[in-house]
Amino acid sequence: KTSINGRATGASLSNFALRGTELQNTAWVLGVVCYVGDECKIRLNSTDPPTKNSELERILNLCVACILLFICLAATCFVTAACVLKAKNEDDSCFPVFAKYVVILYPVLPMTLYICFEILHLMIAFQIDRDGLMKSNGRYARARNSSVVEELGQVDFIFSDKTGTLTANEMRFAFCCIGERVVGP
């Protein structure tokens, strides 16, 4: 508790300010700061959410990075050849020549690939939104994130829990019912 003008005041919800609060119409404020620094719970939990990129998008980004690297290497080779073979009376430096070759080789980069990739995502998301087989209680499924729809139905990991003794876990076919016919050993 603290005393202000002879009146005892304690910390309560009526005089508590959360992080990011802006005070207005106040001449002064007396405050106690608790749980501060990079190691406090609120700071550790306030990280940005991870980005969701599909495996296909990662491969596409890697391909584009390799193409950009190829463009820069090819432009460097062409600039080296141009600077070595240029006439003695030319005063051009090699950097403008490099920029010219990068501009000339830039159409090698397939930007339409990204455009087609995003249009495909939108088409798949629209199809999920309108699919009658995914309707439950009169409501359709909603594709809120269209960037990972191509990974639907792909299983990467299977986790299993084996309890009991350390014996062999054998699964044996018992029987199967197909229509009205029962098939089994």
Side-chain angles (χ1 to χ4, degrees), residues 20-97:
T21 302
E22 293 182 13
L23 300 176
Q24 298 177 352
N25 302 327
T26 305
W28 58 274
V29 173
L30 177 67
V32 177
V33 180
C34 301
Y35 297 101
V36 296
D38 290 335
E39 298 300 320
C40 68
K41 185 176 181 181
I42 196 165
R43 182 77 169 168
L44 291 173
N45 290 335
S46 65
T47 59
D48 292 332
T51 58
K52 294 180 180 179
N53 291 334
S54 65
E55 190 65 30
L56 185 61
E57 197 168 0
R58 282 188 212 104
I59 292 170
L60 185 66
N61 289 339
L62 181 65
C63 290
V64 169
C66 289
I67 292 171
L68 283 173
L69 181 67
F70 168 75
I71 289 171
C72 290
L73 287 175
T76 304
C77 291
F78 293 152
V79 165
T80 304
C83 289
V84 167
L85 298 175
K86 75 178 179 178
K88 302 262 185 204
N89 56 0
E90 293 181 22
D91 293 332
D92 285 342
S93 67
C94 292
F95 183 74
V97 177

Side-chain angles (χ1 to χ4, degrees), residues 85-129:
L85 298 175
K86 75 178 179 178
K88 302 262 185 204
N89 56 0
E90 293 181 22
D91 293 332
D92 285 342
S93 67
C94 292
F95 183 74
V97 177
F98 177 78
K100 289 176 188 176
Y101 277 115
V102 168
V103 169
I104 290 170
L105 293 173
Y106 189 73
V108 172
L109 187 65
M111 290 310 292
T112 56
L113 184 63
Y114 271 116
I115 294 168
C116 291
F117 191 66
E118 292 303 322
I119 289 173
L120 180 67
H121 279 159
L122 291 174
M123 289 172 52
I124 293 172
F126 181 75
Q127 191 173 16
I128 288 172
D129 288 344

